[in-house]
Amino acid sequence: MSIKNLGNKTLGRIKVVVFMLALLPLFKLCAGAYRDELGANPIEKISHITGYWTLTFLLITLTPTPLRQLSGWLWPVRLRRMLGLFAFFYGCLHVLTYLVLDQFFDWQDILKDIVKRPYITVGFPAFLLMIPLAVTSTDNMIRRLGGKYWRMLHTLIYPSAIGGVVHYWWLVKKDLTNPIIFAALLGVLLSIRVVYRLRSIRLFAV
Amino acid sequence: MKPYKIPAIPASEITPKHLFDARRKFMQTAGAASLAALLPQALWAASLGDLKKSPYSTAEELTSLKAVTSYNNFYEFGTSKDDPAERAGTLKTRPWTVSVEGEAHKPKVFDIDDILKMAPLEERIYRLRCVEAWSMVVPWVGFPLAELLKRVEPTGNAKYVEFVSLHDPAQMPGQKYPVLDWPYREGLRMDEAMHPLTLLTLGLYGEVLPKQNGAPVRVVMPWKYGFKSAKSIVSIRLLETQPTTSWMKAGPNEYGFYANVNPEVDHPRWSQAKERRIGEFLKRKTLMFNGYADEVAPLYAGMDLQKYF
């Protein structure tokens, strides 16, 4: 056992801790709602917080691969499924906030939003792309699809994350600080992958 | 534009008056109490005395004082809604002068304490509709801007009015970031500025204006989106040509000079057909000119409101 590859027992403990930490934002949100501390427009607040954590977990999910490429650490990859499912979990809460609290099932307005409001036009499919990933996240589904097809399918996380960041960028009225931070981090995470991919191709060519 | 129809309200929807009053009393007491607990006494002690009740007031249920003073767009103190309440303490509202200049026969620098005594203060309960599709009902205190403008005797060339807000990053930490082109500038056409609904605002809920709401003096035009209502004004300029406002510079295709509330002209990125009244769950329909069509529609007769948005 080394820092690069932890034993099952240590990894199990880390998983429990990460699981608890990942629930913290939800716990804080519920506590805030219970104590009536979500401000004058709680629906907007819930929407922003769940959206923020969806994007954050998407970025965290995209981290283990470049981390392995840069440092050789293998164990973070084994947390990836849980992290991705948390991104989906917060994404579901975010979309439910929109459908139930914000629009209250006004399907006509929802449809209009999807067609007319660019940030929803891009945000809604970005969420839909996460559904097949969550559905095929079980060991059984990996076996049934086969590693190659499963990996191909799961590259959908890239358009989903890009769509999520664009969604945030387009909805902000003027202060782009946060969207820029998300975009920059996503840019770094994706470009490390690209660099490694190019290098491996060149290695083959030589 | 369809003719405006008075909405029919079923009897079951109407709250009995004694309940309405009790609720309002409770909201006011609760709001005042929680605010008193939040702010040091010195900041929140100045009652504006007896106020004339204005016939322009709406009878709709007031948004709580707490919401009015904790949910603000005032980018001079940061772009998040709770920034102004948390950070506006650094604003110094005395001494304060407002210079009224430009196309005027008698331009003058007014002291804020003289402005407070210039005309009888009225309570105006107005709907406030933000361009972000939320709304409030606020009991402002002030008098018509026309009262102030008349005193400098505008010349025949005065076609527009420009409001300039304080520019001092030491007092307004949000101005350290180039979110907008500081100082904040807004403007009106002269006839809009002279309209009796246009309120030079010095207070709310019967007290002096809280800093996060644009102390010590701001304007309020209830038929326009909230961002038109310039806060912490230091200068009012009478101009011959239309000024370019901060938001017009920030997004020319999203924010026009007029910015009249109009459910039929969408913001390029969202619909303006509905709004969420703060404190309510279901959205309500946005009214033409925010419900002030009877008073202000004639100002825009014959204008293409899709073009002059």
Side-chain angles (χ1 to χ4, degrees), chain B residues 213-279:
Chain B
N213 295 85
V217 60
R218 64 176 291 173
V219 282
V220 175
M221 288 76 73
W223 73 97
K224 291 176 178 285
Y225 293 121
F227 69 88
K228 289 298 288 179
S229 300
K231 304 185 182 92
S232 303
I233 296 169
V234 291
S235 133
I236 298 175
R237 302 169 64 212
L238 299 167
L239 303 172
E240 194 171 358
T241 51
Q242 182 183 297
T244 305
T245 70
S246 295
W247 278 105
M248 286 164 76
K249 276 187 205 164
N253 61 333
E254 298 192 335
Y255 307 99
F257 178 75
Y258 287 92
N260 291 318
V261 176
N262 188 339
E264 286 155 38
V265 179
D266 284 344
H267 185 283
R269 291 184 284 145
W270 58 83
S271 160
Q272 294 291 24
K274 289 184 181 177
E275 67 199 47
R276 171 164 290 117
R277 178 69 52 85
I278 294 301

Side-chain angles (χ1 to χ4, degrees), chain A residues 4-206:
Chain A
K4 287 189 178 175
N5 203 2
L6 303 176
N8 280 339
K9 218 171 159 190
T10 318
L11 194 77
R13 283 196 199 115
I14 290 179
K15 273 187 179 168
V16 172
V17 173
V18 172
F19 189 88
M20 305 287 243
L21 285 176
L23 280 174
L24 219 68
L26 178 65
F27 180 76
K28 265 188 73 182
L29 190 63
C30 292
Y34 180 73
R35 297 206 299 252
D36 196 14
E37 284 171 359
L38 297 182
N41 196 346
I43 297 171
E44 181 187 65
K45 192 111 195 193
I46 295 169
S47 180
H48 286 175
I49 290 176
T50 51
Y52 175 89
W53 285 103
T54 308
L55 273 181
T56 303
F57 275 106
L58 269 171
L59 293 189
I60 299 177
T61 308
L62 286 169
T63 308
T65 299
L67 200 64
R68 187 193 62 210
Q69 287 163 335
L70 290 175
S71 69
W73 289 17
L74 296 172
W75 61 269
V77 177
R78 293 165 69 188
L79 294 170
R80 203 166 49 181
R81 164 164 49 192
M82 186 168 78
L83 294 166
L85 284 170
F86 267 110
F88 180 65
F89 173 65
Y90 281 103
C92 288
L93 292 181
H94 184 61
V95 171
L96 280 174
T97 306
Y98 169 70
L99 296 179
V100 183
L101 298 182
D102 191 36
Q103 295 286 17
F104 199 62
F105 306 111
D106 188 335
W107 298 110
Q108 212 182 331
D109 270 20
I110 291 165
L111 207 71
K112 245 194 274 172
D113 268 359
I114 295 175
V115 179
K116 273 190 69 181
R117 284 159 79 170
Y119 71 87
I120 296 180
T121 316
V122 63
F124 201 67
F127 167 73
L128 294 181
L129 288 179
M130 290 165 83
I131 296 175
L133 307 191
V135 170
T136 59
S137 66
T138 59
D139 289 339
N140 190 27
M141 283 306 280
I142 299 174
R143 253 197 313 275
R144 277 171 62 181
L145 281 169
K148 189 178 151 200
Y149 289 112
W150 187 89
R151 267 196 298 277
M152 257 169 65
L153 178 68
H154 279 245
T155 54
L156 286 179
I157 192 172
Y158 303 132
S160 176
I162 294 168
V165 171
V166 173
H167 162 77
Y168 190 17
W169 191 291
W170 281 351
L171 83 87
V172 166
K173 197 162 74 170
K174 195 65 193 38
D175 184 5
L176 284 170
T177 317
N178 277 334
I180 286 171
I181 293 171
F182 275 113
L185 289 173
L186 181 64
V188 169
L189 292 172
L190 294 185
S191 37
I192 296 172
R193 285 177 166 79
V194 172
V195 169
Y196 272 81
R197 177 62 63 88
L198 289 177
R199 263 172 59 177
S200 65
I201 291 171
R202 227 174 323 152
L203 281 177
F204 269 110
V206 168

Side-chain angles (χ1 to χ4, degrees), chain B residues 17-296:
Chain B
K17 186 165 184 329
H18 69 279
L19 280 182
F20 175 83
D21 287 341
R23 202 153 66 186
R24 174 172 285 202
K25 183 86 195 116
F26 171 74
M27 296 282 276
Q28 286 172 346
T29 321
S34 53
L35 203 114
L38 268 175
L39 290 178
Q41 268 294 301
L43 283 178
W44 192 261
S47 159
L48 289 171
D50 281 340
L51 302 168
K52 210 166 87 180
K53 297 272 172 216
S54 167
Y56 284 115
S57 287
T58 163
E60 284 164 85
E61 190 168 351
L62 300 181
T63 303
S64 76
L65 177 60
K66 185 170 183 225
V68 169
T69 53
S70 65
Y71 189 77
N72 308 98
N73 274 326
F74 196 174
Y75 282 12
E76 279 84 340
F77 297 103
T79 53
S80 134
K81 296 279 189 301
D82 13 83
D83 283 341
E86 280 167 22
R87 298 161 72 186
T90 45
L91 177 68
K92 287 196 286 285
T93 57
R94 290 294 186 287
W96 191 282
T97 56
V98 180
S99 125
V100 188
E101 56 197 39
E103 294 291 342
H105 292 297
K106 292 182 176 166
K108 197 182 162 184
V109 178
F110 294 91
D111 189 272
I112 186 68
D113 292 310
D114 295 332
I115 295 178
L116 273 157
K117 285 175 272 176
M118 186 175 280
L121 295 176
E122 337 175 349
E123 177 168 81
R124 293 264 185 110
I125 303 172
Y126 278 164
R127 289 178 289 275
L128 167 79
R129 168 64 157 80
C130 178
V131 73
E132 297 165 347
W134 53 265
S135 64
M136 291 183 174
V137 178
V138 184
W140 302 108
V141 180
F143 55 81
L145 174 68
E147 289 287 340
L148 175 71
L149 295 182
K150 271 188 269 177
R151 281 172 170 74
V152 299
E153 296 178 19
T155 71
N157 289 335
K159 302 274 181 356
Y160 293 91
V161 180
E162 182 185 48
F163 306 100
V164 186
S165 300
L166 178 70
H167 187 201
D168 181 0
Q171 293 185 57
M172 297 179 145
Q175 289 178 335
K176 288 172 189 155
Y177 309 95
V179 181
L180 289 171
D181 186 12
W182 309 113
Y184 194 90
R185 288 171 196 275
E186 259 308 334
L188 292 173
R189 221 168 52 190
M190 197 62 189
D191 55 347
E192 297 176 323
M194 298 303 282
H195 194 279
L197 275 179
T198 300
L199 193 72
L200 190 72
T201 305
L202 300 147
L204 57 82
Y205 268 101
E207 315 254 331
V208 294
L209 210 52
K211 293 180 178 182
Q212 60 269 38
N213 295 85
V217 60
R218 64 176 291 173
V219 282
V220 175
M221 288 76 73
W223 73 97
K224 291 176 178 285
Y225 293 121
F227 69 88
K228 289 298 288 179
S229 300
K231 304 185 182 92
S232 303
I233 296 169
V234 291
S235 133
I236 298 175
R237 302 169 64 212
L238 299 167
L239 303 172
E240 194 171 358
T241 51
Q242 182 183 297
T244 305
T245 70
S246 295
W247 278 105
M248 286 164 76
K249 276 187 205 164
N253 61 333
E254 298 192 335
Y255 307 99
F257 178 75
Y258 287 92
N260 291 318
V261 176
N262 188 339
E264 286 155 38
V265 179
D266 284 344
H267 185 283
R269 291 184 284 145
W270 58 83
S271 160
Q272 294 291 24
K274 289 184 181 177
E275 67 199 47
R276 171 164 290 117
R277 178 69 52 85
I278 294 301
E280 291 181 356
F281 178 61
L282 291 178
K283 292 182 185 177
R284 48 170 77 207
K285 284 206 164 90
T286 290
L287 305 174
M288 189 63 202
F289 295 115
N290 200 22
Y292 297 93
D294 288 347
E295 289 88 356
V296 300

